[in-house]
C-alpha cells in the first residue's frame, strides 16, 4: 500500500497570561487557571470561555472588595491547551524545585457551562476512578463537594485523568482539583433525574464543534459553578494551613508529558 499525506506545519507563538494578587504569602501561591484557547473548529465559548470568564470575574471581585489574601493568588489564563496542554506544561517546566515547593495548589476550571450539565468534581482522592492526585488533592475535592452539599446541590466525581491543564501540576507533585460540567460523555437517566436535562445525549453536544457559541452555555450551570469557583479560590486564598500537608511530592521541576491529541497518556 502507498500512502501519501500532505501536511502543513505552521509554527505560532502564543503566551500565557498571568495576574497575581499584590499581597499574600508567595511561598503558598494558589494558581487558579483555565485555558483561553479553543479548538480551530469552533469559538470555544463553553470550552473554555466559561472557565476563564468565571476566573476573571473572581479576580475582579476580589479587587473590587479589597480582599487582602493570606496567600498569593495567581490567576492563569493558559494558552495552547487544545494543542497538548502546552502553556500550562511550559509554566510548570520552567519552575525551579524551590518554586514548585512554593506552589500550594492548582485549581483548574475547564468547561463549566455545559448545556446538559452535571456538577462534576475532579476525583482527587481516587476513590471513584483509582487515579489519585498528589497529597492535598483529596482535601481540594472535599472543598468542592462540601460546597455543593451546602447549596443543596448534587455533585459527581469525574476521573482525574490529566486531560486538562492541572496535569503538569500533579506531575510535579503539586496538589490540584477543579470542576467540569461534561463534554462528549452521555448523560445517564439517573443523572437526568438529579440534574435535569436530557438523558441519552452528550453533556455538551457542541463539544469541539462550530456550534460552541454563546447559546451553548447554560446560565444555570455557569451560575452555580461560578459560585464554586469563587468559594474555592477564597477558601485557599485565606487558609493558614498548608494544603499539601507533609508530602511535598516529587518536586523535581521537570517532567516529560506525552499526549495523544490533548489526552495525556503519561
Ligand atoms: Zn477545554
Amino acid at each position: 500500500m502507498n500512502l501519501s499525506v500532505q501536511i502543513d506545519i505552521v509554527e505560532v507563538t502564543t503566551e500565557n497570561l498571568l495576574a497575581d494578587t499584590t499581597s499574600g504569602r508567595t511561598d503558598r501561591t494558589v494558581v487558579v487557571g483555565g485555558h483561553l484557547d479553543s479548538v480551530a473548529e469552533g469559538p470555544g465559548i463553553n470550552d473554555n470561555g466559561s472557565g476563564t470568564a468565571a476566573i476573571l470575574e473572581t479576580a475582579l471581585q476580589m479587587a473590587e472588595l479589597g480582599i487582602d489574601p493570606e496567600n498569593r493568588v495567581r490567576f492563569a489564563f493558559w494558552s495552547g491547551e487544545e494543542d497538548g496542554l502546552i502553556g500550562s506544561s511550559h509554566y510548570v517546566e520552567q519552575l525551579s524545585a524551590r518554586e514548585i515547593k512554593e506552589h500550594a495548589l492548582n485549581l483548574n476550571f475547564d468547561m463549566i457551562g455545559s448545556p446538559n450539565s452535571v456538577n462534576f468534581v475532579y476525583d482527587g482522592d481516587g476513590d471513584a476512578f483509582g487515579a489519585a492526585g498528589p497529597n492535598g488533592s483529596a482535601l481540594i475535592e472535599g472543598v468542592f463537594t462540601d460546597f455543593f452539599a451546602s447549596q443543596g446541590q448534587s455533585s459527581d466525581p469525574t476521573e482525574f485523568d490529566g486531560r486538562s491543564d492541572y496535569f503538569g501540576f500533579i506531575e510535579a507533585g503539586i496538589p490540584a482539583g477543579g470542576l467540569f460540567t461534561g463534554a462528549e460523555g452521555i448523560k445517564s437517566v439517573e443523572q437526568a433525574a438529579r440534574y435535569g436535562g436530557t438523558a441519552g445525549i452528550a453533556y455538551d453536544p457542541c463539544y469541539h464543534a462550530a456550534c460552541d457559541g454563546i447559546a451553548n452555555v447554560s446560565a444555570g450551570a455557569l451560575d452555580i459553578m461560578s459560585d464554586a469557583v469563587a468559594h474555592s479560590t477564597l477558601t485557599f486564598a485565606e487558609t493558614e494551613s498548608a494544603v499539601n500537608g507533609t508530602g511535598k511530592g516529587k518536586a523535581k521541576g521537570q517532567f516529560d508529558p506525552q499526549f495523544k491529541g490533548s489526552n495525556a497518556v503519561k
Side-chain angles (χ1 to χ4, degrees):
M1 182 173 84
N2 287 320
L3 182 68
S4 125
V5 177
Q6 262 196 348
I7 186 165
D8 280 326
I9 295 177
V10 182
E11 241 176 66
V12 297
T13 301
T14 177
E15 289 172 41
N16 296 323
L17 178 65
L18 305 174
D20 288 355
T21 54
T22 50
S23 59
R25 283 180 62 158
T26 57
D27 63 339
R28 285 195 183 158
T29 297
V30 175
V31 177
V32 180
H35 73 86
L36 199 52
D37 61 313
S38 72
V39 291
E41 288 76 15
I45 301 302
N46 185 34
D47 183 12
N48 184 36
S50 61
T52 46
I55 293 167
L56 176 59
E57 186 62 19
T58 301
L60 294 174
Q61 292 292 332
M62 278 180 72
E64 176 100 352
L65 296 167
I67 290 171
D68 188 17
E70 180 74 19
N71 307 311
R72 175 169 70 181
V73 182
R74 175 165 290 163
F75 299 95
F77 302 87
W78 306 120
S79 74
E81 193 267 357
E82 302 287 9
D83 295 312
L85 314 180
I86 290 168
S88 54
S89 298
H90 170 77
Y91 174 83
V92 178
E93 273 168 9
Q94 52 81 47
L95 297 174
S96 67
R98 186 201 170 109
E99 287 168 332
I100 285 181
K101 288 194 163 77
E102 292 174 346
H103 280 65
L105 72 150
N106 170 232
L107 300 177
N108 188 63
F109 303 112
D110 184 2
M111 301 182 73
I112 58 167
S114 305
N116 194 27
S117 69
V118 162
N119 298 334
F120 284 120
V121 176
Y122 295 156
D123 180 32
D125 61 9
D127 67 342
F129 295 97
N135 196 351
S137 304
L139 188 152
I140 301 168
E141 182 183 2
V143 166
F144 288 114
T145 53
D146 288 352
F147 173 76
F148 286 117
S150 77
Q151 303 301 301
Q153 290 260 339
S154 225
S155 65
D156 281 63
T158 187
E159 197 168 3
F160 206 43
D161 58 3
R163 224 180 116 180
S164 187
D165 290 304
Y166 61 88
F167 178 69
F169 291 88
I170 63 175
E171 278 289 290
I174 299 166
L179 299 171
F180 178 54
T181 48
E184 77 278 34
I186 304 296
K187 189 174 247 183
S188 71
V189 171
E190 187 275 326
Q191 287 168 338
R194 277 187 295 130
Y195 293 99
T198 311
I201 66 164
Y203 305 115
D204 181 358
C206 288
Y207 175 61
H208 284 184
C211 55
D212 185 12
I214 289 287
N216 189 44
V217 172
S218 156
L222 187 59
D223 185 23
I224 181 69
M225 285 283 153
S226 301
D227 289 349
V229 170
H231 171 79
S232 57
T233 300
L234 258 292
T235 298
F236 291 111
E238 298 295 7
T239 185
E240 292 177 21
S241 345
V243 175
N244 44 8
T246 52
K248 281 289 195 178
K250 290 173 283 182
K252 286 184 302 201
Q254 289 295 327
F255 67 101
D256 180 25
Q258 285 161 27
F259 303 96
K260 197 174 159 203
S262 59
N263 296 339
V265 293
K266 183 191 158 247

